[in-house]
Amino acid sequence: MFKVLKVDHIGIAVKDLAAAKKFYSEMLGMDALGEEVVDQQKVKVCFIPCGDSEVELLESTSPEGPIAKFIEKNGEGIQHIALKVDNIEAALTDLKAKGVRLIDETPRYGAGGASIAFIHPKATGGILLELSERK
């Protein structure tokens, strides 16, 4: 068994990371922690603390990347919701045994050194859910 501990972050797809960071900083007084490129996902990200959760801004580094494709289809906006779990391996094993449609059956590297895996939107009523376990 596994436990969902909290909403870890909300992922927001943006065309221009610098402009998005400026809005959150200047208009909302929320400062980003830094930037990171995750080559495997063809994305540049930054996290902005918000209470006990975070906002993750995602800018594509490639026209073939998932964020570029998301923006092309949907425009900028919420791309996923991430749930912090206590044991991502157990979560994936349990969900798979229950017949939940997964995008990832094994964890992969996520920004900030997290282990992540995605649950398919067809299993969640249209929401892309990310499971995240940070050490």
Side-chain angles (χ1 to χ4, degrees):
M1 288 299 296
F2 70 99
K3 269 180 125 173
V4 174
L5 303 173
K6 70 174 189 167
V7 173
D8 188 70
H9 65 270
I10 297 174
I12 301 175
V14 300
K15 292 180 183 176
D16 183 339
L17 187 62
K21 282 173 51 176
K22 184 177 178 180
F23 171 81
Y24 280 86
S25 176
E26 292 182 6
M27 300 301 142
L28 301 175
M30 301 168 68
D31 293 321
L33 296 175
E35 293 182 10
E36 178 182 355
V37 174
V38 182
D39 290 324
Q40 177 187 9
Q41 297 173 27
K42 299 180 175 121
V43 69
K44 181 168 42 170
V45 307
C46 75
F47 286 95
I48 301 171
C50 183
D52 67 348
S53 189
E54 295 175 310
V55 172
E56 178 187 32
L57 301 176
L58 304 117
E59 176 187 87
S60 186
T61 59
S62 167
E64 290 81 39
I67 296 302
K69 291 177 182 178
F70 176 88
I71 290 173
E72 183 179 305
K73 182 178 177 183
N74 304 295
E76 295 179 286
I78 295 175
Q79 192 257 350
H80 70 273
I81 297 173
L83 303 175
K84 182 177 183 177
V85 296
D86 63 343
N87 184 329
I88 196 164
E89 296 278 354
L92 293 172
T93 299
D94 189 42
L95 292 169
K96 185 176 179 182
K98 291 176 179 173
V100 174
R101 185 171 176 185
L102 303 172
I103 293 174
D104 301 303
E105 292 190 8
T106 59
R108 57 175 141 155
Y109 176 83
S115 293
I116 65 167
F118 288 93
I119 300 174
H120 199 284
K122 290 189 177 185
T124 65
I127 304 297
L128 179 62
L129 283 181
E130 174 185 317
L131 302 178
S132 176
E133 181 183 355
R134 297 189 200 199
K135 301 295 181 197

